[in-house]
């Protein structure tokens, strides 16, 4: 035993042992010194006022499972020291449990990582500035070229303009590709793991690039598998990025013909699915050896490639890294002069929501008569969610903010609460936490978080606050119904409704899209309500946003942009929704604030077009 104590005491890394009550029974000088105490003082007093690990240690003792974490301590000289700490329960033969904590100094590694991260941030700042300097004039060139194309042109002039547009479009991709490549090299390119609809992601991506293909005289098609693809867990943004790079590559290397994007199921089990994507073109083609060489060295396919088709291969390299980081692979089938077929496979876990959807639920139940509380400050979102729930004969109360939600939950018991996250007065996280902690009729009611920030989901924070689950906005209506059904134990059974048919062909496809609203997209009365509400609310909110920008009230900019982002996203006014998302991010970070005016201009222009079309359609149906 004496040798054991000597080994522990001479260990330069902190070590301690606690009993089942969380009291120190053994520690070495390295650990005691972190609290500026001797070992004797630590053991006698317990350092209770300094031991921030006390609650966590008790949890580990209770669970009986080993845990690892990074910890840091602030030294007297103002410096920090980082440790990788392992904590493990030790069960004795007499049934008594102890907790052993062993730490390893990783300060040097953390400092090196921080230096590398700061280097990456410096590069990102430089590249972001460069991107802005490049994007502004190139967008002007693209805009003027498109204006010229509307005039009377001969065949040669139209071809020259198409070349200008192609070159300009390729130049716009370069800064972002370089930035992503630097992030990949630094290991700083994060991946999301959220439920999403693969078919919708592919379809929306192809639709977004349709104009670029048409300007080059190409036809861009989307072929969907006849097999059902369930909701999966993964990163929809990276999947879209991979497809964008491959489709733009196909547009660049295809002089005439068509490009087809397809999705097939390569393998499937009860819990996972492997999807195979293909981008097929009728372009100049390449050999498999050249493809591998391109990925390795960024060399052009060959020195005889015309300047129009010149490229670094950086986009393909980024695709390969993104695919492999998700456990997938990429390959090409191609021949020079006969087009290319770029294939890639990615395995996904099937979302629990999808598994639940396919399960056989108990019979003779439905959602009729359920009492739900919707906590949402956005009027458009209110109209959409309430209208969808009314299809199932659900009783819905609406609270305008977290404080209103607290008041309503004290007066009435609900079967489920749908809680927006970002709201005025009291946000959804604080409101949910208070519902769980204070005396309330809904202490144990399932609460589902509504959030439009896919990149900012903190599951740990949601769980700590008391949320049961979450849904991303804009959400799929099926996911909404499945979530309600899952946490109330009720089977979906929507009532039949008779609706006037809304003419989907009456609206410009590129401007907005109601198809994501499901059955409601064909409900003429509902669509008119949505259009009128957009006309009544959005201009005023844009006015508030512009005023906040002028006053440089960035917190208010974040709040209003977040609200509007959801409104535009619901009806797929994509360009404006993307601009608002970018504006929210810029205002939140405080970097590149000069971009906000241009982003606001982009949102305003899109809004004016939609307002004009909505007003005309409402007059026609009046």
């Amino acid at each position: 035993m004496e040798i054991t104590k000597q080994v522990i005491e001479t260990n330069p890394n902190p070590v301690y042992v606690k009993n089942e009550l969380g009291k120190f029974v053994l520690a070495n000088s390295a650990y005691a010194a972190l609290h500026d105490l001797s070992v004797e003082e630590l053991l006698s007093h317990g350092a209770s006022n300094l031991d921030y690990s006390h609650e966590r240690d008790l949890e580990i003792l209770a669970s009986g499972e080993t845990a690892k974490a990074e910890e840091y301590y602030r030294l007297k000289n103002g410096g920090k020291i980082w440790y990788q700490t392992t904590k493990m329960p030790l069960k004795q033969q007499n049934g008594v449990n102890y907790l052993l904590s062993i730490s390893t100094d990783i300060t040097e590694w953390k400092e090196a990582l921080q230096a590398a991260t700061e280097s990456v941030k410096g590069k990102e700042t430089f590249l972001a500035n460069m991107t802005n300097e490049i994007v502004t004039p190139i967008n002007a060139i693209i805009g003027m070229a498109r204006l010229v194309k509307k005039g009377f042109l001969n065949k040669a002039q139209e071809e020259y303009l198409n070349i200008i547009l192609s070159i300009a479009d390729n130049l716009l991709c370069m800064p972002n590709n370089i930035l992503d490549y630097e992030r990949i090299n630094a290991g700083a390119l994060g991946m999301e793991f959220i439920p999403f609809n693969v078919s919708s992601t592919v379809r929306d991506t192809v639709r977004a690039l349709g104009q670029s293909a048409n300007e080059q005289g190409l036809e861009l098609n989307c072929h969907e598998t006849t097999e059902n693809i369930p909701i999966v867990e993964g990163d929809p943004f990276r999947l879209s990025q991979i497809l964008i790079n491959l489709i733009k590559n196909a547009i660049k290397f295809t002089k005439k013909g068509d490009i087809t994007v397809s999705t097939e199921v390569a393998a499937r089990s009860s819990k996972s699915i492997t999807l195979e994507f293909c981008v097929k073109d009728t372009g100049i083609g390449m050999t498999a050896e050249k493809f591998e060489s391109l990925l390795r060295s960024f060399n052009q396919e060959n020195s005889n490639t015309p300047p129009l088709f010149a490229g670094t291969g950086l986009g393909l390299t980024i695709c390969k890294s993104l695919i492999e980081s998700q456990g997938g692979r990429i390959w090409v089938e191609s021949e020079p002069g006969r087009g290319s077929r770029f294939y890639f496979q990615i395995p996904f876990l099937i979302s629990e929501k999808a598994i639940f959807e396919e399960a056989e639920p108990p019979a003779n139940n439905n959602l009729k008569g359920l009492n739900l509380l919707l906590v949402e400050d956005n009027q458009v979102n209110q109209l959409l969610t309430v209208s969808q729930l009314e299809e199932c004969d659900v009783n819905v109360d609406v609270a305008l903010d977290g404080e209103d939600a607290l008041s309503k939950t004290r007066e009435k018991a609900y079967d489920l609460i749908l809680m927006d996250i970002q709201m005025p007065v009291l946000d959804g996280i604080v409101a949910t936490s208070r519902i769980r902690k204070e005396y309330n009729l809904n202490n144990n009611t399932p609460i589902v978080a509504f959030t439009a920030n896919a990149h900012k989901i903190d599951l740990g924070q949601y769980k700590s606050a008391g949320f049961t689950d979450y849904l991303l906005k804009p959400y799929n209506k099926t996911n909404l119904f499945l979530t309600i059904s899952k946490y109330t134990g009720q089977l979906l059974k929507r009532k039949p409704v008779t609706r006037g048919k809304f003419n989907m062909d009456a609206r410009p496809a590129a401007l907005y899209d109601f198809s994501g609203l499901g059955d409601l997209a064909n409900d003429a009365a509902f669509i008119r309500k949505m259009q009128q509400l957009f006309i009544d609310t959005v201009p005023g909110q844009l006015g508030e946003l512009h005023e906040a920008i002028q006053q440089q009230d960035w917190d208010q900019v974040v709040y209003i942009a977040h609200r509007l982002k959801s409104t535009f996203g619901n009806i797929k006014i994509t360009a404006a929704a993307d601009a608002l998302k970018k504006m929210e991010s810029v205002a939140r970070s405080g970097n590149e604030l000069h971009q906000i005016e241009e982003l606001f201009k982009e949102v305003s222009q899109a809004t004016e077009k939609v307002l004009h079309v909505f007003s005309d359609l409402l007059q026609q149906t009046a």
Side-chain angles (χ1 to χ4, degrees), residues 50-86:
L50 298 171
D51 183 18
Y52 68 88
S53 298
H54 179 73
E55 295 295 335
R56 177 62 176 146
D57 287 350
L58 291 178
E59 289 178 7
I60 296 171
L61 274 167
S63 71
E65 297 179 355
T66 298
K68 293 184 178 181
E70 289 183 6
E71 300 178 321
Y72 81 89
Y73 294 85
R74 190 174 296 278
L75 304 177
K76 270 189 171 183
N77 61 9
K80 293 180 182 178
I81 186 166
W82 285 86
Y83 291 102
Q84 174 71 44
T85 298
T86 301

Side-chain angles (χ1 to χ4, degrees), residues 292-585:
E292 293 298 329
S293 174
L294 193 62
L295 292 176
R296 286 195 301 269
S297 65
F298 302 162
N299 288 333
Q300 293 175 201
E301 197 278 340
N302 61 62
S303 58
N304 296 322
T305 303
L308 173 61
F309 300 123
T312 64
L314 188 55
L316 289 178
T317 303
I318 291 170
C319 287
K320 183 173 184 290
S321 296
L322 291 174
I323 292 164
E324 291 179 350
S325 66
Q326 298 175 79
R329 66 187 184 99
I330 183 173
W331 72 98
V332 68
E333 294 178 3
S334 179
E335 294 180 33
R338 303 190 67 177
S340 301
R341 293 175 300 282
F342 286 89
Y343 292 94
F344 66 95
Q345 289 184 353
I346 298 178
F348 296 99
L349 289 177
I350 297 175
S351 169
E352 288 185 2
K353 293 182 175 64
I355 294 173
F356 178 73
E357 180 179 8
E358 294 173 359
E360 192 68 35
N364 301 322
N365 281 323
N366 55 52
L367 304 185
K368 182 177 181 179
L370 286 178
N371 292 307
L372 267 63
L373 176 64
L374 172 65
V375 189
E376 172 66 72
D377 66 320
N378 184 302
Q379 290 179 285
V380 174
N381 290 341
Q382 289 173 14
L383 173 63
L384 174 59
T385 306
V386 170
S387 298
Q388 290 172 333
L389 293 173
E390 284 177 347
E391 292 184 28
C392 299
D393 279 330
V394 174
N395 302 316
V396 187
D397 291 340
V398 177
L400 301 180
D401 53 52
E403 198 66 57
D404 191 15
L406 282 173
S407 176
K408 284 182 167 59
T409 54
R410 291 173 185 136
E411 299 171 356
K412 179 178 178 180
Y414 293 97
D415 295 296
L416 186 133
I417 299 170
L418 302 170
M419 179 78 72
D420 189 24
I421 294 296
Q422 193 164 330
M423 295 179 292
V425 185
L426 196 67
D427 68 39
I429 292 176
V430 176
T432 298
S433 180
R434 287 176 58 178
I435 290 172
R436 295 303 192 204
K437 291 178 180 178
E438 66 178 42
Y439 173 74
N440 195 290
L441 294 173
N442 294 275
N443 287 136
N444 299 311
T445 300
I447 303 178
V448 177
F450 269 9
T451 175
N453 281 343
H455 285 291
K456 297 294 182 182
I457 290 176
D458 186 338
L459 294 180
Q461 184 185 29
Y462 285 7
K463 184 177 179 181
S464 297
F467 284 105
T468 310
D469 203 342
Y470 72 92
L471 276 177
L472 287 175
K473 294 189 294 188
Y475 57 82
N476 181 288
K477 183 180 69 174
T478 300
N479 284 347
L480 173 64
F481 288 160
L482 287 171
T483 300
I484 296 170
S485 180
K486 179 177 182 179
Y487 294 112
T488 59
Q490 306 297 307
L491 171 64
L492 300 178
K493 186 178 179 183
R494 286 176 291 167
K495 65 177 182 179
V497 290
T498 303
R499 300 186 177 101
K501 182 72 174 177
F502 177 70
N503 182 10
M504 293 293 288
D505 296 329
R507 52 100 175 124
L511 204 55
Y512 61 91
D513 186 354
F514 286 120
S515 63
L517 304 181
D519 295 342
L520 290 173
N522 297 317
D523 185 341
F526 172 78
I527 292 299
R528 283 195 294 273
K529 288 181 183 178
M530 285 283 284
Q531 291 169 335
Q532 188 62 57
L533 193 55
F534 188 94
I535 292 171
D536 292 342
T537 61
V538 172
Q541 291 174 330
L542 278 182
E544 293 173 5
L545 178 59
H546 187 256
E547 183 178 351
I549 292 171
Q550 295 300 310
Q551 295 178 355
Q552 298 186 1
D553 185 348
W554 305 125
D555 289 340
Q556 186 70 356
V557 170
V558 168
Y559 168 66
I560 299 174
H562 179 83
R563 291 180 67 199
L564 282 169
K565 176 180 67 176
S566 179
T567 298
F568 284 81
N570 279 328
I571 55 179
K572 296 186 179 181
I573 308 175
T574 308
D578 289 346
L580 287 162
K581 180 179 179 181
K582 176 68 173 176
M583 185 187 300
E584 181 184 1
S585 175

Side-chain angles (χ1 to χ4, degrees), residues 23-27 32 37-48:
K23 179 176 175 58
F24 291 103
V25 297
L26 181 66
L37 296 171
S38 67
V39 173
E40 292 74 18
E41 290 172 324
L42 181 70
L43 297 179
S44 61
H45 300 294
S48 57

Side-chain angles (χ1 to χ4, degrees), residues 276-289:
E276 181 175 291
F277 306 88
C278 178
V279 178
K280 176 184 176 183
D281 64 60
T282 55
I284 63 173
M286 67 174 74
T287 63
E289 293 76 16

Side-chain angles (χ1 to χ4, degrees), residues 591-605:
N591 298 322
E592 309 300 320
L593 292 171
H594 60 272
Q595 297 182 32
I596 287 184
E597 284 287 356
E598 189 63 33
L599 291 168
F600 178 80
K601 182 179 179 182
E602 190 173 339
V603 175
S604 297
Q605 290 173 344

